Amino acid sequence: MNPAEAREAFRGGLRVPTAGWAPGYAQANMIIVPREYAYDALLFGQRNPKPCPIIGVTDTGSPHTDLAAGADLRTDVGAYRVWRDGELVDEPDDVTKYWNDDLVTFLIGCSFTFETPMLAAGIEIRHITEGRNVSMYKTNRECAPAGRLSGPMVVSMRPIAADRVADAARISGQFPSVHGAPVHIGAPEALGITDLSKPDFGDPVDIREGEVPVFWACGVTPQAAIMTSKPPFAITHAPGYMFITDVPDYTLAV
C-alpha cells in the first residue's frame, strides 16, 4: 500500500502495527495536548531531540498536517490512546468524539522510517519477520524536564547480528530526525531493563545466538511523560501504531 491507501485502511477500522507498512515513507509518533500544554510539549521535544524529534506541529484545533495530503489525524492512525490525569482511559480506533478546537498535535519522528534502508542492506528486522509489534522499554535515563512535563526515556529494541551492528548504527545514524543512531548496544541492565522478554510496550521478539540487543530512542517517550506528569488530557497513538506520512524516507537522511 502507498501512504494514502494505508491511511484509508486505518480510517476504515483496520487495527495493526505499522512496521513494514508503506515502505519508503516516513512514519510518525503522535501526541495531542490542549493548547495550555503545547509550549511545554514543544520545549520537551526541543530539550530531548533524540527520543522526541518533532517533525510536524499543527495549528490549534486543526486535525490536518502538511506531512500528508488529505489526512485526518482523528481517524487515520491504526489505534489511539486517550489519557486523563496520566491514566489511560480509552484505546479507540478514532478520536473524533474527543476532539475539540483547543488541541495541538505534535508529530514525532519514528524509527520505523529507517527500517526500510536497513532491510535493503540485508539487516533483518525481527519484529517484521515475526509479524509482531516492536519491543519498547522504559529506561532509567530521565529526560530533561520541560515546564510541567518530565519522565524517563523509552527505547525500542531490535536484535541485530553482531557483525551487522556497526552497519545498523551507520544506517540509522543517517536519519537523526527519526531518532538516528542507537543510544545503547548490549547490556540492557545498564538501561535499567531487567527482562527483555517483558517489554513495557509492544511485543517480545526472539533473540538468537550471535545477536546483540540494540536500543534506539523511542517516540513513545512522551507517553511515559504523560504517565509521570499527569496532564489533565492528552491523546496519543498506540505504541507501534503510527501515523504514515507522505514524506519519502530518503528526504530525512543527512
Side-chain angles (χ1 to χ4, degrees):
M1 290 188 180
N2 64 37
E5 291 169 337
R7 294 192 299 268
E8 182 179 1
F10 299 138
R11 193 180 312 136
L14 182 65
R15 191 182 179 107
V16 293
T18 56
W21 278 65
Y25 290 90
Q27 300 195 26
N29 301 272
M30 184 175 70
I31 177 172
I32 303 170
V33 294
R35 180 171 52 180
E36 177 190 358
Y37 274 79
Y39 180 73
D40 290 353
L42 184 66
L43 190 60
F44 191 80
Q46 190 272 332
R47 290 181 176 172
N48 301 282
K50 194 73 171 174
C52 304
I54 295 171
I55 60 174
V57 184
T58 67
D59 292 330
T60 303
S62 174
H64 307 296
T65 170
D66 57 7
L67 300 182
D72 190 322
L73 296 169
R74 300 168 296 187
T75 60
D76 293 3
V77 175
Y80 296 82
R81 286 182 154 190
V82 179
W83 306 83
R84 294 192 187 276
D85 300 315
E87 299 294 328
L88 181 62
V89 297
D90 196 6
E91 295 188 88
D93 293 336
D94 74 73
V95 291
T96 304
K97 69 178 182 180
Y98 292 104
W99 196 261
N100 64 68
D101 291 337
D102 189 53
L103 297 176
V104 180
T105 301
F106 293 84
L107 296 171
I108 295 169
C110 173
S111 58
F112 288 173
T113 303
F114 59 62
E115 290 180 343
T116 300
M118 288 172 65
L119 286 166
I123 299 172
E124 182 188 0
I125 305 298
R126 185 62 42 75
H127 56 270
I128 293 179
T129 301
E130 296 183 347
R132 299 181 183 182
N133 202 347
V134 67
S135 302
M136 295 162 275
Y137 307 84
K138 295 179 185 178
T139 73
N140 56 11
R141 296 189 182 182
E142 288 296 317
C143 291
R148 291 159 287 185
L149 297 179
S150 62
M153 181 173 67
V154 175
V155 294
S156 60
M157 187 279 294
R158 293 162 183 81
I160 305 293
D163 63 351
R164 299 306 308 273
V165 168
D167 294 329
R170 175 182 54 80
I171 293 168
S172 58
Q174 296 171 359
F175 294 86
S177 60
V178 294
H179 306 304
V183 295
H184 188 73
I185 297 171
E189 61 275 7
L191 294 173
I193 301 169
T194 58
D195 190 346
L196 289 176
S197 70
K198 296 179 180 178
D200 295 293
F201 312 96
D203 301 322
V205 296
D206 295 332
I207 302 178
R208 300 169 186 165
E209 185 176 354
E211 293 180 333
V212 177
V214 180
F215 300 90
W216 281 266
C218 179
V220 176
T221 296
Q223 298 188 38
I226 289 171
M227 289 184 265
T228 300
S229 307
K230 304 184 185 305
F233 181 75
I235 299 170
T236 67
H237 69 292
Y241 296 71
M242 304 299 169
F243 177 70
I244 299 177
T245 78
D246 291 339
V247 178
D249 55 18
Y250 69 84
T251 65
L252 299 177
V254 296

